[in-house]
């Protein structure tokens, strides 16, 4: 008597398109995404006295230090923007980008033990990092808006309709950090030196982004090589954010569109290398 043919409920394949995201499968594992988000949130502030209040304390302390050192002592210009607001705006966006990028870049090495024991879409881990960092960004944006309201009441800032474009800016900021993070996470499985250099590289990169130095000052110091300041894909995003909420900055729509195109290219490159590395990374980690 013939036995009934078995039907598989799950098929794991080793060969798939290098550009395949398989978001449908990621959606099926959405509970795991939320579990990772909860893990990241709890582990970050476990056994701390102030807990999530550090979401407010960190940008406040950093902004105060920047205002005193670069605004009062060094007397660096801020494009007519109140120094406290200028540095807070830059720190808010930069904190999200750097935290997310470093977290995604540690996906393979930080979860190697789990990846070797159980199967789930590897894209779940970088996506959970994006969401975890977005929660911090939401709290810090609330702080930024509170400070913005103070200067708005004093008539020192003049927001405009470009402020409504900020969700798009944050999405592309997330995509850029995701693309770079996946790129570095794939490379660090073979070249561990990159993980040691990445923290230093991020700190150096901040000086080429309008977090501390306004774009106008960088162009002034570079002289005829001022166009190098526009090669940073983060510069148009930061400038558009400041221009929309504060009404001041070196904003240019053409450079912003070029930045978006570059970010998409970096994201596709990150996906390509990430998908290629996930097949064999467990042998090299």
């Amino acid at each position: 008597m013939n036995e009934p043919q078995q039907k598989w409920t799950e098929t794991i394949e080793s060969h798939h398109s290098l550009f395949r995201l398989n978001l449908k499968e990621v959606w099926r594992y959405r509970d795991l995404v939320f579990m990772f988000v909860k893990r990241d949130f709890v582990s970050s502030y476990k056994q701390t006295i102030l807990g999530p209040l550090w979401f407010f304390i960190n940008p406040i302390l950093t902004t105060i230090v920047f205002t005193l050192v670069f605004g009062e002592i060094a007397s660096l210009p801020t494009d007519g923007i109140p120094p406290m607001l200028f540095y807070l705006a830059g720190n808010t966006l930069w904190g999200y980008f750097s935290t997310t990028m470093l977290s995604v870049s540690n996906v393979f090495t930080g979860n190697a033990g789990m990846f070797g024991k159980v199967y789930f879409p590897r894209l779940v881990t970088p996506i959970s990092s994006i969401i975890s960092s977005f929660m911090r960004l939401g709290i810090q944006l609330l702080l930024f808006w509170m400070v913005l309201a103070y200067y708005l009441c004093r008539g020192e800032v003049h927001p405009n309709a470009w402020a409504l474009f900020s969700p798009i800016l944050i999405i592309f900021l997330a995509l850029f950090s995701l693309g770079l993070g996946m790129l570095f996470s794939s490379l660090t499985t073979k070249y561990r030196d990159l993980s040691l250099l990445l923290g230093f590289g991020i700190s150096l990169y901040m000086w080429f982004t309008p977090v501390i130095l306004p774009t106008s000052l960088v162009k002034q110091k570079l002289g005829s090589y001022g166009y190098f300041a526009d090669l940073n894909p983060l510069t148009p995003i930061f400038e558009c954010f400041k221009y929309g909420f504060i009404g001041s900055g070196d904003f240019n729509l053409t450079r912003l569109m070029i930045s978006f195109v570059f970010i998409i290219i970096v994201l596709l490159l990150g996906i390509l290398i990430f998908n290629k590395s996930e097949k064999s990374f467990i042998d090299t980690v």
Side-chain angles (χ1 to χ4, degrees), residues 262-273:
F262 180 81
I263 288 173
I264 294 299
I265 294 174
V266 171
L267 178 63
L268 293 177
L269 182 62
I271 294 172
L272 172 66
I273 297 180

Side-chain angles (χ1 to χ4, degrees), residues 151-277:
Y151 285 102
L152 185 63
C153 293
R154 297 182 56 177
E156 297 186 34
V157 295
H158 307 281
N160 53 64
W162 280 103
L164 301 176
F165 200 63
S166 57
I168 305 298
L169 300 177
I170 293 173
I171 289 175
F172 274 90
L173 195 63
L175 294 179
F176 189 43
S177 60
L178 179 62
L180 281 181
M182 289 194 299
L183 180 62
F184 281 109
S185 67
S186 303
L187 295 177
T188 51
T189 59
K190 292 184 178 180
Y191 310 104
R192 292 298 182 92
D193 291 348
L194 287 177
S195 61
L196 301 176
L197 292 174
L198 191 56
F200 171 76
I202 285 292
S203 300
L204 185 63
Y205 188 27
M206 184 178 69
W207 290 93
F208 294 92
T209 306
V211 178
I212 297 175
L213 303 176
T215 307
S216 58
L217 179 62
V218 176
K219 290 183 177 180
Q220 178 184 347
K221 295 299 182 181
L222 290 177
S224 59
Y225 297 97
Y227 62 90
F228 281 112
D230 297 326
L231 296 180
N232 181 0
L234 290 181
T235 297
I237 294 178
F238 278 59
E239 293 293 352
C240 183
F241 182 85
K242 292 176 182 177
Y243 179 77
F245 283 105
I246 305 173
S248 181
D250 187 27
F251 171 63
N252 184 286
L253 182 59
T254 302
R255 292 199 296 266
L256 182 64
M257 294 298 105
I258 295 175
S259 174
F260 285 172
V261 172
F262 180 81
I263 288 173
I264 294 299
I265 294 174
V266 171
L267 178 63
L268 293 177
L269 182 62
I271 294 172
L272 172 66
I273 297 180
F274 186 87
N275 285 341
K276 185 178 180 180
S277 299

Side-chain angles (χ1 to χ4, degrees), residues 11-63:
T11 303
I12 302 175
E13 299 176 345
S14 60
H15 300 286
H16 55 78
S17 172
L18 291 179
F19 283 103
R20 183 184 179 189
L21 284 177
N22 203 6
L23 294 179
K24 182 178 179 181
E25 186 180 19
V26 173
W27 175 251
R28 288 172 52 197
Y29 283 82
R30 59 188 180 276
D31 291 339
L32 185 60
V33 173
F34 294 128
M35 186 181 300
F36 282 149
V37 171
K38 182 180 178 181
R39 179 200 65 177
D40 294 341
F41 185 84
V42 172
S43 61
S44 297
Y45 297 100
K46 188 178 182 181
Q47 295 181 332
T48 60
I49 298 176
L50 299 179
L53 285 178
W54 284 107
F55 290 154
F56 285 103
I57 296 174
N58 278 333
I60 290 175
L61 293 179
T62 304
T63 300

Side-chain angles (χ1 to χ4, degrees), residues 6-126:
Q6 294 181 342
K7 295 183 179 180
W8 302 105
T9 59
E10 185 74 24
T11 303
I12 302 175
E13 299 176 345
S14 60
H15 300 286
H16 55 78
S17 172
L18 291 179
F19 283 103
R20 183 184 179 189
L21 284 177
N22 203 6
L23 294 179
K24 182 178 179 181
E25 186 180 19
V26 173
W27 175 251
R28 288 172 52 197
Y29 283 82
R30 59 188 180 276
D31 291 339
L32 185 60
V33 173
F34 294 128
M35 186 181 300
F36 282 149
V37 171
K38 182 180 178 181
R39 179 200 65 177
D40 294 341
F41 185 84
V42 172
S43 61
S44 297
Y45 297 100
K46 188 178 182 181
Q47 295 181 332
T48 60
I49 298 176
L50 299 179
L53 285 178
W54 284 107
F55 290 154
F56 285 103
I57 296 174
N58 278 333
I60 290 175
L61 293 179
T62 304
T63 300
I64 291 175
V65 171
F66 283 3
T67 302
L68 292 176
V69 174
F70 300 107
E72 298 296 331
I73 299 177
S75 299
L76 295 178
T78 55
D79 285 340
I81 302 173
M84 179 70 72
L85 196 58
F86 176 86
Y87 295 122
L88 182 58
N91 281 321
T92 300
L93 295 183
W94 180 257
Y96 176 68
F97 167 75
S98 60
T99 300
T100 304
M101 207 276 279
L102 290 174
S103 178
V104 174
S105 68
N106 193 43
V107 161
F108 281 143
T109 56
N111 298 281
M114 183 167 43
F115 284 169
K117 296 178 181 178
V118 63
Y119 170 78
F120 58 88
R122 304 314 184 203
L123 197 60
V124 162
T125 44

